[in-house]
């Protein structure tokens, strides 16, 4: 059986701020087979980019190995001083992310607009 | 109590990642027929997928000559799932992931499967049954009591 491949589109999104925001749009499955798609795509983001959005709205299946890859990406982003906001997770996966504690390091938003806005409020808080 | 109205479905899956989705989708269909709501079905799908992945990776060590057995037993108000492999079962107890340790690389990023299973079903146990192997036994109930509802 062929697992559904992870697909990732990397885009720069327009935002009110002058700081660029890169969004990674994931679709398909995120599993242990997704290392190149998740970590490899992340490595393509310039270190100078400090704002990253993760769009999971196209993800159908995400297991604990896939979540571990997301955590590894967040570790790398943290080392590079990058901030991550997340949106588009289905309610069940929002629950799973909350259970494992990822929400301590990235906020979950219902849509792209609110996720983008969170960067500005983050900045204001600092 | 013995449930005399129990009927069951059995699957034999190759020890290859990806096939957990067969168990996951079969269990989802059965749970839907039994009247479980969509949130509980999503919980069940994740729990059974993680149990099958553990069986493939750790129990059968990706040996495709070995099968992972899945037995779905329908009761009047509960669904029991057994996931069987040829290993000796998990060692130690299930602990909650520590996200701070993971983020500071003091704990493996992986290793959340058993925690998710335990959190998402009403009852779970890991049983070592030599010489055949071991199995994970999970139960979800249509009307869970407050104490047994682990995931909600």
């Amino acid at each position: 059986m062929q697992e559904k491949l992870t697909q990732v589109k990397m885009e720069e999104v327009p935002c009110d701020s002058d700081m660029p925001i890169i969004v990674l749009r994931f679709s398909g499955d995120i599993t242990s087979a997704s290392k190149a798609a998740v970590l490899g795509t992340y490595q393509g983001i310039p270190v100078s980019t400090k704002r990253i959005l993760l769009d999971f709205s196209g993800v159908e299946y995400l297991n604990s190995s896939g979540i571990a890859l997301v955590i590894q990406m967040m570790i790398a982003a943290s080392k590079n001083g990058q901030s991550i906001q997340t949106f588009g997770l289905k309610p069940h996966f929002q629950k799973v992310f909350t259970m494992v504690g990822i929400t301590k390091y990235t906020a979950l938003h219902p849509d792209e607009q609110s996720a983008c806005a969170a960067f500005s409020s983050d900045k204001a808080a600092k | 109590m013995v449930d005399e109205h129990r009927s069951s479905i059995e699957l034999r899956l190759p020890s290859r990642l990806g096939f957990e989705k067969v168990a996951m989708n079969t269990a989802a269909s059965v749970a839907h027929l039994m009247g479980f709501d969509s949130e509980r079905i999503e919980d069940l799908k994740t729990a059974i997928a993680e149990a099958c992945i553990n069986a493939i990776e750790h129990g059968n060590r990706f040996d495709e000559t070995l099968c992972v057995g899945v037995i779905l037993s329908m009761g009047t108000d509960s669904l029991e799932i057994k996931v069987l492999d040829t290993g000796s079962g998990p060692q130690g107890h299930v602990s909650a992931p520590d996200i701070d340790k993971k983020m500071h690389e003091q704990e493996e990023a992986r290793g959340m499967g058993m925690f998710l299973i335990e959190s998402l079903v009403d009852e779970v146990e890991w049983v070592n049954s030599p010489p055949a192997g071991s199995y994970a036994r999970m139960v979800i109930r249509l009307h869970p009591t407050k104490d047994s509802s682990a995931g909600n």
Side-chain angles (χ1 to χ4, degrees):
Chain A
M1 172 177 282
Q2 189 73 35
E3 290 191 63
K4 268 191 190 167
L5 292 176
T6 313
Q7 293 174 337
V8 197
K9 274 173 68 181
M10 182 163 64
E11 295 172 8
E12 187 168 328
V13 292
C15 202
D16 295 340
S17 158
D18 52 353
M19 291 179 76
I21 296 178
I22 295 285
V23 57
L24 300 182
R25 301 192 193 281
F26 293 96
S27 58
D29 296 348
I30 304 185
T31 68
S32 58
S34 310
K35 189 171 180 178
V38 176
L39 299 181
T41 306
Y42 167 76
Q43 282 161 5
I45 298 176
V47 177
S48 57
T49 300
K50 297 301 178 193
R51 295 173 166 191
I52 299 170
L53 282 178
L54 303 181
D55 173 5
F56 289 106
S57 48
V59 173
E60 295 164 35
Y61 172 54
L62 175 61
N63 63 26
S64 63
S65 303
I67 294 171
L69 290 173
V70 174
I71 291 173
Q72 286 178 272
M73 178 172 54
M74 288 168 54
I75 292 169
S78 172
K79 286 178 178 171
N80 289 327
Q82 296 162 319
S83 170
I84 293 181
Q85 304 287 343
T86 299
F87 71 97
L89 273 174
K90 292 178 173 59
H92 173 69
F93 294 124
Q94 288 180 31
K95 177 163 118 177
V96 170
F97 268 44
T98 304
M99 277 177 176
V100 300
I102 293 181
T103 45
K104 194 170 174 183
Y105 290 90
T106 181
L108 309 183
H109 302 277
D111 52 45
E112 187 168 330
Q113 194 178 11
S114 55
C116 266
F119 285 121
S120 306
S121 53
D122 257 10
K123 193 180 174 187
K126 287 169 188 169
Chain B
M1 186 187 290
V2 176
D3 187 342
E4 294 176 356
H5 302 287
R6 210 163 257 283
S7 54
S8 65
I9 293 168
E10 294 190 28
L11 303 172
R12 286 165 60 84
L13 307 175
S15 296
R16 191 188 316 161
L17 291 174
F19 276 87
E20 76 275 9
K21 290 169 90 175
V22 175
M24 192 174 92
N25 292 328
T26 304
S29 298
V30 170
H32 181 73
L33 287 172
M34 289 178 70
F36 283 94
D37 65 34
S38 57
E39 186 181 344
R40 294 295 284 153
I41 292 173
E42 290 303 316
D43 290 347
L44 174 65
K45 285 166 69 179
T46 291
I48 196 167
E50 295 297 330
C52 288
I53 290 167
N54 282 347
I56 291 167
E57 284 189 16
H58 305 296
N60 291 349
R61 297 176 185 277
F62 298 107
D63 182 344
E64 292 193 21
T65 64
L66 301 172
C67 285
V68 170
V70 179
I71 304 172
L72 304 164
S73 302
M74 292 167 277
T76 49
D77 64 351
S78 67
L79 174 60
E80 179 197 79
I81 307 101
K82 285 183 179 173
V83 176
L84 305 92
D85 60 57
T86 60
S88 55
Q91 311 297 315
H93 66 285
V94 180
S95 55
D98 185 327
I99 192 66
D100 294 325
K101 285 187 176 174
K102 287 184 191 297
M103 287 298 291
H104 293 99
E105 298 178 279
Q106 295 161 350
E107 182 179 297
E108 284 283 324
R110 295 192 63 184
M112 294 172 282
M114 286 172 64
F115 165 77
L116 287 177
I117 294 168
E118 196 170 82
S119 302
L120 294 170
V121 298
D122 295 315
E123 199 179 309
V124 64
E125 60 178 338
W126 283 271
V127 179
N128 190 2
S129 61
S134 63
Y135 61 89
R137 175 183 165 274
M138 301 168 278
V139 178
I140 61 164
R141 296 191 179 85
L142 272 167
H143 308 291
T145 59
K146 211 171 182 180
D147 291 342
S148 69
S149 182
N152 297 293

